[in-house]
Amino acid sequence: MAEKKKILRALAGETLDTPPIWMMRQAGRYLPEYRATRAKAGDFLSLCYNPELAAEVTLQPIRRYGFDAAILFADILLVPQALGADLWFVTGEGPRLSTISGAEDFARLKTPGDIHATLNPIYETVKILARDLPEETTLIGFAGAPWTVATYMIAGRGTPDQAPAHALKDSNPEIFDALINRITEATIDYLSAQIEAGAEVVKLFDSWAGSLKDSDFLKYALEPTRVITEALKARHPHVPVIAFPREAGDHYIGFAKATGVDCVALDNSVSPEWGASNVQSDGCVQGNLASRHMVTGGQDLIDDTLAIREAFSKGPHIFNLGHGITPDADPENVQLMIDTVRS
Ligand code: CP3
């Protein structure tokens, strides 16, 4: 058997001389080969549901850069679609969905058991990747966390302050809680199926966790993550879970212990020194270079990359960006980041 993969070692709590590295949105529009395959698929959703082509774009950044992990190519909004929401993408603007404003809309949603009919192609993509990835590369599956997914299902689009979701939470807590529970159950089944197809690690993206304050954070970011992690660990005890409660701020502290996740991904609004003393003290952390460096490059990129590597060098760390790479990034800056981390 091959020596245990570097990402799995870090997730098990090992401090490595050189941190393993991968990048959020590493398969994306900044890569010409991604744009070519997406054009071949027709549009973004057709690419997500085409196992051969989705596996191809997942592999592209592995071939080009030799990242330590590949993240399944899919989207967090496929779960709402599998639950019955209409979903489409407007070029240059982003996702659009049918909205949920009350009991009638909620009643039209499907049950978690129904999601696999839509999501089967995703499990096929995972199977292809489990077969075709280099043996040293870890395969990461993922889903959106319930709050973040709910914000899109309620508003029907991305929103700067998640106001429609906050309004439903405050005006109709019964339906809002039912929606969170429905997404939570679907996410457990979806991630379990990804693991059964060959995902070695799973990650929960809670991109909008930062807009949940105080008890709302505990109820709608921390608790669903705890419930999902507990259910996954019961079914698949050895599969590590990474949580990304983006912009959680002080709520990052103790998050791993309270939820049972194996790693907390940090965004770049917190300093690596703060992350090392307050979060890495409990176990593995992932992060947290600002994505803008992938656009601007140069000495600034090198300095911040080395500072992050140094700050997290005394504990388990997976090097990553603080959020996804953007379409205007220069592929050469990605290589510079990797060379700097591995230097
Ligand atoms: O990270 C990866 O490379 C794996 C694939 C992945 C995508 N989206 C592909 C994608 C993952 C893990 C996601 C997660 C995702 N999707 C999140 C959580 C992480 C985050 O970024 O905060 C969210 C909020 C979404 C929803 C979503 N999907 C939005 C808001 C958009 C439009 C924004 C944009 O950049 O245009 C997408 C589209 C999307 N998802 C693209 C990719 C590569 C770009 C689509 C294209 O090719 O046109």
Side-chain angles (χ1 to χ4, degrees):
M1 215 186 92
E3 199 187 327
K4 201 171 178 191
K5 303 178 186 192
K6 282 184 78 178
I7 295 239
L8 298 177
R9 287 167 61 191
L11 287 168
E14 199 177 321
T15 305
L16 301 169
D17 290 339
T18 305
I21 178 168
W22 67 282
M23 196 172 68
M24 280 185 264
R25 291 271 171 98
Q26 62 190 20
R29 286 163 290 180
Y30 73 105
L31 286 179
E33 58 268 38
Y34 169 84
R35 297 196 297 269
T37 309
R38 184 174 173 275
K40 200 163 131 190
D43 57 40
F44 174 67
L45 281 175
S46 308
L47 179 54
C48 290
Y49 287 116
N50 182 321
E52 295 294 336
L53 296 183
E56 166 59 22
V57 294
T58 306
L59 288 163
Q60 285 167 350
I62 308 305
R63 285 192 208 112
R64 187 191 264 257
Y65 299 114
F67 282 116
D68 294 290
I71 183 159
L72 163 69
F73 187 84
D75 198 85
I76 67 164
L77 300 178
L78 304 186
V79 166
Q81 191 174 35
L83 285 171
D86 296 327
L87 171 68
W88 67 103
F89 280 79
V90 180
T91 312
E93 290 187 31
R96 294 289 183 277
L97 301 89
S98 46
T99 57
I100 294 184
S101 53
E104 274 178 36
D105 299 324
F106 179 76
R108 277 195 291 272
L109 291 180
K110 298 183 192 170
T111 55
D114 297 330
I115 63 170
H116 303 301
T118 302
L119 297 171
N120 260 321
I122 311 308
Y123 314 142
E124 286 308 310
T125 307
V126 175
K127 284 182 196 162
I128 296 171
L129 290 166
R131 183 192 71 201
D132 289 354
L133 273 172
E135 65 171 25
E136 68 276 13
T137 314
T138 302
L139 178 54
I140 303 178
F142 74 91
W147 159 251
T148 289
V149 171
T151 65
Y152 287 95
M153 292 180 81
I154 294 163
R157 59 191 298 162
T159 44
D161 49 6
Q162 297 75 59
H166 284 288
L168 187 70
K169 162 171 68 62
D170 298 335
S171 68
N172 196 341
E174 205 176 312
I175 289 300
F176 182 80
D177 286 6
L179 178 60
I180 292 285
N181 291 338
R182 181 68 55 91
I183 301 166
T184 299
E185 285 170 36
T187 303
I188 292 166
D189 284 354
Y190 180 45
L191 290 176
S192 288
Q194 290 182 30
I195 292 167
E196 278 147 30
E200 301 171 279
V201 174
V202 292
K203 178 168 174 184
L204 280 171
F205 286 90
D206 213 349
S207 306
W208 299 120
S211 79
L212 290 168
K213 300 300 168 211
D214 308 321
S215 61
D216 276 351
F217 183 92
L218 302 181
K219 197 165 173 197
Y220 297 118
L222 190 145
E223 179 62 9
T225 299
R226 191 194 67 73
V227 170
I228 291 166
T229 305
E230 184 178 68
L232 291 175
K233 296 277 181 191
R235 296 188 201 180
H236 310 282
H238 303 298
V239 175
V241 179
I242 303 173
F244 182 39
R246 190 169 73 91
E247 300 199 346
D250 282 345
H251 287 300
Y252 276 128
I253 302 171
F255 193 83
K257 274 194 178 151
T259 57
V261 301
D262 301 270
C263 176
V264 176
L266 300 170
D267 69 85
N268 53 278
S269 70
V270 298
S271 78
E273 293 76 18
W274 182 91
S277 33
N278 291 290
V279 189
Q280 197 188 32
S281 45
D282 285 342
C284 188
V285 288
Q286 179 177 281
N288 69 340
L289 184 70
S291 307
R292 68 180 159 78
H293 286 299
M294 299 301 103
V295 180
T296 53
Q299 193 59 43
D300 260 9
L301 181 163
I302 297 174
D303 292 346
D304 274 14
T305 299
L306 290 175
I308 289 166
R309 193 181 72 173
E310 174 60 25
F312 291 122
S313 64
K314 289 167 198 70
H317 177 218
I318 299 169
F319 197 97
N320 205 305
L321 301 177
H323 200 187
I325 187 168
T326 52
D328 54 345
D330 180 345
E332 291 196 11
N333 291 331
V334 176
Q335 190 63 58
L336 180 59
M337 168 183 71
I338 295 171
D339 292 344
T340 306
V341 169
R342 293 181 175 162
S343 65

